[in-house]
Amino acid sequence: MDVINNIFLIGRQIIATVLGFFLPLPVVDAVIAIISMALVLGFAAVTMMGQVYVERRVLGFMQDRKGPNRVGPFGLLQIIADAIKLLTKEDIMPSRVDRMVFRLAPIVVVATALLIWAVVPLGRGMIIADLNIGILYVISISSVGVLGFLMAGWSSNNKYALLGSMRAAAQMVSYEIPLVLSIIGIIMLTGSLSTVSIVNAQAGLWFVIWQPLGFVIYFISAVAEINRSPFDLVEGESEIVAGYFIEYSGMRFALFYLGEYISAFAMSAIATTLFLGGWQGPILPPYIWFVIKAWAVFIVLIWIRATLPRLRVDQLMGLAWKVLIPLALINIFVTAVVLVPLFQSVAK
Amino acid sequence: MSEATATSGNTALDTKIKTDQIVVNMGPQHPSTHGVLRLMLTLDGETVVDAEVVLGYLHRGFEKLCEEGTYTQNISLTDRLDYFNSMNNNWAYVKAVEMIMGIEVPERAEYLRVIMSELQRLVSHLACTGFYVSDIGAMHTPLLYAFRQREEILDLFEMACGARMTCNYFRIGGVSKDVPDGWIARLKAFLDQLPSKIDELEGLLTGNEILVARSKGVGVMTSEMAINYSITGPCLRATGVQFDLRKDVPYSVYPRLSFNVPTLRNGDVMDRFLLRILEMRECVKIIKQAIEQLPEGEVRTPVPLNLRPPIGEALSRIEGPKGEMGYYVVSDGSIAPYRVHQRPPCFINLGIARELFIGTKVADVVAILASLDPIMGEVDR
Amino acid sequence: MTAIRSLVSPRLDVKSLPQAISESIVRVVESDPPMIYVIPDRLVEVCRSLKETVGLEFDYLIDVTSADYLDQLEVVYHLHSVPRGHALTLKVELDREEASVPSVTGIWRGADFQEREVYDLMGITFTGHPNLKRILLYDEFVGHPLRKDFALPKEDISSQIG
């Protein structure tokens, strides 16, 4: 049982030992880091393909239709067909765009989405970098993402794109604040910014029990942060057509989608880490628990998408500034006065 | 509007932020303009400062075409105007010709016409409501729920006349043929389960917090405004005016059927859709009564193939799902009409769009447009 | 409040029209609804009193259309009164060469699009219309297709066939 639970750690140990015979220690560390990064990237990419498939199928079932079911068994190869289609499409660069920025924007979006994975503990000890400021890192990286949207919208030389990127800037800057404030409660409970110690602190009760309000605020702000329905104003296909990426086509277009799905799953992973006990769970190996929880959060996202219409831009701002931020402040207050002493007495 | 003042504690730092307006062309190719409508919006940030409705991208010269065909041939052209509403289009046209000729329609045909017209009203309202919810961003779920019912009605149409959308079922003097065996039974079975589905659709509208926030108080028109702009149908009744041609200018067998004309008061987007839900319930009532009263007999008064109505003119008026539908037909005694003009409710209802758009947000434009329910096939003709 | 309604819609008695309207009438045609021909120059005054006179109250303009009778053009206004329930057809006869009639957009805003359509397809100018330009056809279009003598230019047809 222990072997299965720690299979990745054991694998790492074996590689490190073998390499240790003929390589100096810093080089071994670097090689190990590169291998883990490649594994996490592979995990994110495979997950992304699964996400697209699951999203389309689940949406299909929720909407009383079948979803993709033609390519391969149960339509499983649909995503491969789509990827081939997008890769072989003509790469259209509209005239009068700012070429440099136009090319760079999708890369910024995808890169920032991937960077978050560095501090997500996928299982016991399975983390690329256990930063002591892990949460701060997540928040700062996700605010860089808006830069990609702004670059795309500005460089496209299109009014819809401009409207979309302006919406993106306003929305993401506004929702950053309740997002941070909702996490502060957890940081107060654990006294640490490290994702690993946050997960370890949830060995008993998950933080969603300690911080229900914080979880709701976090979830809403995070959905807004990753621009998914009902906060998909940035794309708003029925209003501003596709928003910031209206002029993109082919692989660059696909990169935006890639970034969107990766950050959606990263958000689910962070929610799992912060509130749902991370990899903690009985019987099953920790990394399986982690995947199950993250997928559960993602399916809730799909469910929301199939249910809710889009907010208007002023209602969106009103929700952030008039509802979520005051609630988050109340949450911090309650946490400081009641929950922290209680939590410490339980922990003892 | 174009200038916003940035306030700060230090008066020396007070600056006026100069903003530029941009003109955005929504359409003719845009996901939520219901076809090829083009809106030229002047925006200040997200607020609409000015709007212009540009039409004609789907103009086929319907009225000129009608002068070339015979009276009977033209019925099939009317199908293609409002493609969610072909039965009522047929009816309004043949009614105008029948008015010129003074033909009496057999009673069974009148009842079948009422049944078809009300089924078509259901189709139109279902589609309109479904499209609205997906227009404001709900990822098609309610649309597909609404289309499930629409599909069954289209199947019924297919059984009766062989076509689903462009039905061409009505004839001058009656309907093309009697409904097949088992049709009425199937219709009854459909009607039995429909009310619960309408409740479900209403739940999707009223039970959704965001949808209510997006619809309440948006695009408000007063009853005076609505009448002055010649708005008819659900949009007018949502402002509180109880005006329905089925009651006010009774035609066909409607006087024998008991039903209500629902009205609401606020005249906003929400009320326009709630009113459509209420009307759908009345439709079910009407169809059930019509089935009970449906007599046996002929479904068509024989008329010559090459119809030559006497010299004269007529304006037919019927209550379509989008508003008053009418055909103004002038006959010069030949086999082709001298002049055919349609009173297009979609086109005329769009007249108020500009006034409703100004001062709203871009997202509201989409909501208001969907609530006016324009079908471009009829707007551009 | 309007639970009980008569099954036959009320008819308007043309002879009872007030002086201001009846003196502008060219002729009356007995039909259902009644039809009156009005002097074009007096159209706006007639329409205003039709809308504002108590007992007439034609507040709802059903439809504006037109017809080409080769020797003259006709503009047809179908009116309805929502509170009174009666209807009226109002016609104006115009010269084919200089077809021009005052706009009624000041009385019924609903006339806006419909008058533009008549202008576009029939070539009748509505003086005083706030935004009189083509609505269904494109701005560069030459001619007014609903006129009976309208024919597509020859080269246009050949280019469509070719």
Side-chain angles (χ1 to χ4, degrees), chain A:
Chain A
M1 203 63 207
D2 247 20
V3 177
I4 298 169
N5 283 356
N6 295 320
I7 187 137
F8 290 97
L9 296 184
I10 296 166
R12 181 165 74 184
Q13 204 56 51
I14 293 168
I15 294 171
T17 322
V18 171
L19 289 177
F21 286 127
F22 46 90
L23 284 175
L25 201 60
V27 181
V28 172
D29 281 351
V31 171
I32 292 287
I34 288 168
I35 292 172
S36 4
M37 272 188 262
L39 277 177
V40 171
L41 276 185
F43 171 72
V46 171
T47 309
M48 185 264 173
M49 293 167 88
Q51 276 172 291
V52 175
Y53 175 75
V54 168
E55 170 143 37
R56 291 179 67 177
R57 287 297 276 197
V58 171
L59 271 182
F61 289 130
M62 285 179 180
Q63 297 176 346
D64 201 16
R65 59 190 173 86
K66 286 197 165 66
N69 64 347
R70 295 282 143 173
V71 190
F74 307 105
L76 276 167
L77 299 179
Q78 179 69 43
I79 179 68
I80 310 233
D82 283 349
I84 292 170
K85 182 200 79 175
L86 285 166
L87 279 168
T88 51
K89 259 187 161 178
E90 186 190 353
D91 177 28
I92 297 166
M93 173 84 71
S95 60
R96 300 175 62 194
V97 298
D98 189 334
R99 281 161 183 272
M100 183 67 189
V101 183
F102 189 81
R103 286 205 184 97
L104 212 54
I107 298 169
V108 171
V109 170
V110 175
T112 50
L114 281 172
L115 279 173
I116 293 179
W117 284 97
V119 295
V120 177
L122 299 174
R124 188 179 290 124
M126 286 166 63
I127 185 166
I128 298 176
D130 179 15
L131 299 179
N132 54 4
I133 51 153
I135 290 303
L136 201 59
Y137 170 83
V138 169
I139 290 160
S140 26
I141 289 296
S142 65
S143 21
V144 176
V146 70
L147 203 61
F149 299 146
L150 269 178
M151 286 161 70
W154 181 256
S155 66
S156 293
N157 192 23
N158 179 305
K159 285 167 186 165
Y160 288 124
L162 189 65
L163 276 174
S165 60
M166 289 304 151
R167 281 180 174 190
Q171 176 177 336
M172 296 175 107
V173 168
S174 304
Y175 277 85
E176 204 91 303
I177 300 164
L179 186 78
V180 175
L181 292 179
S182 68
I183 298 175
I184 285 183
I186 288 178
I187 299 168
M188 288 160 79
L189 291 180
T190 52
S192 166
L193 284 167
S194 152
T195 46
V196 172
S197 34
I198 286 174
V199 174
N200 288 335
Q202 298 180 75
L205 271 181
W206 294 356
F207 279 146
V208 68
I209 312 286
W210 286 100
Q211 292 277 314
L213 187 59
F215 178 65
V216 171
I217 296 167
Y218 171 81
F219 194 78
I220 293 173
S221 323
V223 173
E225 200 61 18
I226 55 172
N227 301 321
R228 279 185 67 99
S229 176
F231 303 104
D232 56 345
L233 282 90
V234 175
E235 285 145 39
E237 90 272 4
S238 60
E239 296 150 25
I240 51 171
V241 194
Y244 59 91
F245 63 90
I246 185 168
E247 293 287 6
Y248 284 86
S249 60
M251 201 50 217
R252 286 185 222 284
F253 173 81
L255 277 178
F256 276 114
Y257 263 91
L258 185 72
E260 189 177 302
Y261 276 103
I262 291 175
S263 54
F265 202 71
M267 172 261 151
S268 313
I270 297 288
T272 309
T273 309
L274 293 180
F275 292 96
L276 301 179
W279 43 262
Q280 310 262 16
I283 306 165
L284 292 173
Y287 45 89
I288 300 285
W289 266 116
F290 177 82
V291 170
I292 288 173
K293 287 175 186 172
W295 271 100
V297 177
F298 182 71
I299 297 220
V300 173
L301 284 180
I302 300 174
W303 187 12
I304 291 175
R305 184 170 175 213
T307 315
L308 292 179
R310 192 178 301 121
L311 283 165
R312 203 170 56 211
V313 68
D314 53 328
Q315 294 165 342
L316 176 91
M317 291 296 155
L319 180 67
W321 293 95
K322 293 181 195 157
V323 182
L324 293 182
I325 294 179
L327 277 180
L329 291 172
I330 290 170
N331 185 46
I332 293 173
F333 178 77
V334 173
T335 309
V337 176
V338 184
L339 292 179
V340 171
L342 198 65
F343 182 77
Q344 279 164 356
S345 65
V346 171
K348 275 170 198 164

Side-chain angles (χ1 to χ4, degrees), chain B residues 27-234:
Chain B
Q29 297 208 1
H30 187 280
S32 55
T33 50
H34 292 232
V36 286
L37 176 66
R38 174 171 160 219
L39 302 170
M40 278 171 71
L41 304 176
T42 310
L43 300 181
D44 180 31
E46 289 260 346
T47 312
V48 179
V49 182
D50 195 10
E52 193 185 341
V53 181
V54 184
L55 306 174
Y57 288 90
L58 203 60
H59 184 59
R60 283 103 72 208
F62 162 75
E63 293 180 5
K64 190 77 179 171
L65 269 175
C66 280
E67 293 172 13
E68 305 297 322
T70 67
Y71 282 92
T72 314
Q73 282 172 345
N74 287 341
I75 301 173
S76 63
L77 289 179
T78 64
D79 284 332
R80 282 141 182 92
L81 293 173
D82 180 350
Y83 35 80
F84 281 122
N85 188 19
S86 57
M87 290 288 188
N88 285 309
N89 266 311
N90 285 176
W91 195 0
Y93 172 74
V94 298
K95 185 163 178 259
V97 180
E98 283 159 7
M99 280 164 79
I100 297 175
M101 298 181 69
I103 303 180
E104 281 294 313
V105 179
E107 207 158 76
R108 186 174 171 85
E110 286 284 17
Y111 276 101
L112 286 176
R113 284 179 173 190
V114 168
I115 292 172
M116 292 301 179
S117 165
E118 296 302 320
L119 283 174
Q120 191 76 73
R121 196 184 312 278
L122 282 170
V123 168
S124 175
H125 285 355
L126 282 168
C128 170
T129 314
F131 276 127
Y132 168 63
V133 191
S134 81
D135 270 353
I136 65 168
M139 193 55 210
H140 312 312
T141 311
L143 176 72
L144 287 153
Y145 277 47
F147 266 40
R148 220 164 35 186
Q149 313 311 316
R150 170 179 175 266
E151 206 61 23
E152 298 198 24
I153 300 176
L154 294 190
D155 285 348
L156 285 168
F157 284 169
E158 196 175 6
M159 279 174 81
C161 56
R164 288 157 62 81
M165 286 181 79
T166 50
C167 300
N168 196 12
Y169 184 58
F170 288 52
R171 291 289 181 277
I172 293 156
V175 295
S176 72
K177 48 188 166 297
D178 206 341
V179 291
D181 295 338
W183 194 84
I184 297 288
R186 190 163 167 185
L187 175 61
K188 274 182 181 157
F190 168 69
L191 288 178
D192 286 339
Q193 53 91 34
L194 187 60
S196 68
K197 304 289 180 184
I198 296 175
D199 292 345
E200 186 182 281
L201 196 62
E202 187 180 12
L204 285 171
L205 283 178
T206 55
N208 193 328
E209 205 66 40
I210 296 179
L211 196 140
V212 173
R214 286 288 307 272
S215 322
K216 269 227 162 28
V218 172
V220 179
M221 53 168 120
T222 63
S223 52
E224 290 78 28
M225 220 166 117
I227 293 175
N228 202 14
Y229 270 97
S230 301
I231 306 291
T232 45

